[in-house]
Amino acid sequence: MLIRENKIDPRTKLTAVILISSLAVLIKDIALLLGIFSITFIIALGFGNNPLALFKKLKKLALLFMAIIIIQSSFSSGIPLLRIGSITLLTIDGFTKGILLAIRMCIIIISATIISTSSPREIVQGLIQWKIPYEIAFMVSIGIRFLPLFVDEIKDTVNAIQLRGIELDKIPIGKRMKIYSYVLMPVVATTLMKSKRLSIAMESKGFGIYPRRSSFKRLKLSKVDYLLMAAFLVGAFTIVTVYLG
């Protein structure tokens, strides 16, 4: 059943994200991690995320996951799984560690989409009512807001390169990495300029001049929020108990 995300308090979503991310880091069993992945996916769907968009995000990271598995195998000793002559490309231990890390990354990425269903203003207010300093809460909000801008800048730069007749898919990997390094510098520079303009605007409006701030809107936990928080806590406690047992 789809949960109407506009009625769920952002603190409930933050609780889910914190618990899921903590479990992803703590658990080292593939079967349990796959179970957590499935639960996380169901929770994300329940909060209104698009499943196709989630799959596309994970699909784009497939090459990264393969690279992680190979790198883990390169620095892990154990029974060879794939060898070319005297060179061991994959070991069982490295393959297992790489799979664990890939599943963890998938869990954290999907859990992060849960909080994206709330507006940055609500997230800040939720953190403030958790007694977190306003400066830290605002910093978290700005970080969430700047990530999509950073991705859009990279897309625009790559599209500009392709419009000039450069097909990145047909370029050798060495030259492609060199082009990506050229892309990264203007993107970082543009992002820093935007952050500088934002800091100037904040200072001109007297950000942080008063020790206490008032809030126009106060968040209030409903019965559904309390039930969901309790379910998340019980579920996390059960998973940890099974893992330690």
Side-chain angles (χ1 to χ4, degrees):
M1 182 179 179
L2 183 66
I3 300 172
R4 299 180 68 179
E5 65 273 8
N6 58 338
K7 290 187 176 182
I8 301 299
D9 194 286
R11 289 170 291 180
T12 304
K13 301 174 185 178
L14 285 169
T15 301
V17 172
I18 292 170
L19 290 174
I20 291 170
S21 302
S22 301
L23 288 173
V25 174
L26 175 66
I27 303 298
K28 297 181 180 180
D29 183 84
I30 291 180
L32 275 177
L33 280 177
L34 287 174
I36 295 170
F37 174 82
S38 302
I39 293 170
T40 306
F41 194 81
I42 293 171
I43 293 173
L45 293 180
F47 281 115
N49 282 310
N50 186 357
L52 294 177
L54 293 176
F55 275 121
K56 287 180 181 178
K57 289 178 182 179
L58 298 180
K59 185 179 178 181
K60 292 178 181 178
L61 297 174
L63 292 176
L64 176 61
F65 294 154
M66 291 299 298
I68 289 171
I69 293 172
I70 294 173
I71 292 171
Q72 286 283 354
S73 296
S74 301
F75 293 95
S76 300
S77 59
I79 301 173
L81 193 62
L82 179 63
R83 298 183 67 177
I84 299 179
S86 59
I87 300 174
T88 301
L89 292 179
L90 284 176
T91 62
I92 293 178
D93 187 44
F95 182 77
T96 303
K97 290 181 179 178
I99 291 294
L100 284 171
L101 186 57
I103 297 173
R104 285 193 183 107
M105 290 180 64
C106 290
I107 293 171
I108 292 172
I109 290 170
I110 294 177
S111 67
T113 63
I114 296 173
I115 196 62
S116 66
T117 56
S118 294
S119 67
R121 186 184 298 272
E122 290 178 339
I123 295 171
V124 171
Q125 185 60 35
L127 292 173
I128 291 172
Q129 291 183 216
W130 264 354
K131 306 302 181 183
I132 293 175
Y134 180 80
E135 290 78 7
I136 297 176
F138 188 80
M139 180 180 66
V140 172
S141 172
I142 292 299
I144 295 172
R145 189 175 299 179
F146 258 81
L147 281 176
L149 292 176
F150 191 75
V151 173
D152 290 340
E153 288 288 344
I154 294 176
K155 288 181 179 178
D156 292 341
T157 307
V158 172
N159 290 335
I161 292 174
Q162 292 176 340
L163 287 173
R164 286 170 172 79
I166 301 174
E167 298 185 15
L168 295 176
D169 295 336
K170 297 182 180 180
I171 297 176
I173 187 66
K175 291 184 178 180
R176 196 186 309 172
M177 295 302 293
K178 193 173 183 180
I179 292 174
Y180 282 143
S181 67
Y182 294 150
V183 169
L184 189 62
M185 289 304 296
V187 170
V188 172
T190 304
T191 306
L192 289 175
M193 289 174 62
K194 288 183 178 179
S195 62
K196 185 178 180 180
R197 288 197 294 267
L198 176 63
S199 65
I200 293 173
M202 290 168 59
E203 289 182 5
S204 64
K205 293 181 179 180
F207 179 82
I209 192 170
Y210 296 110
R212 297 185 63 182
R213 292 177 58 92
S214 59
S215 300
F216 174 74
K217 181 180 179 181
R218 299 283 296 179
L219 299 174
K220 186 177 180 180
L221 293 170
S222 65
K223 292 181 180 179
V224 175
D225 291 307
Y226 285 115
L227 288 173
L228 287 174
M229 283 187 180
F232 295 148
L233 290 170
V234 170
F237 179 77
T238 303
I239 292 172
V240 172
T241 303
V242 170
Y243 175 68
L244 295 178

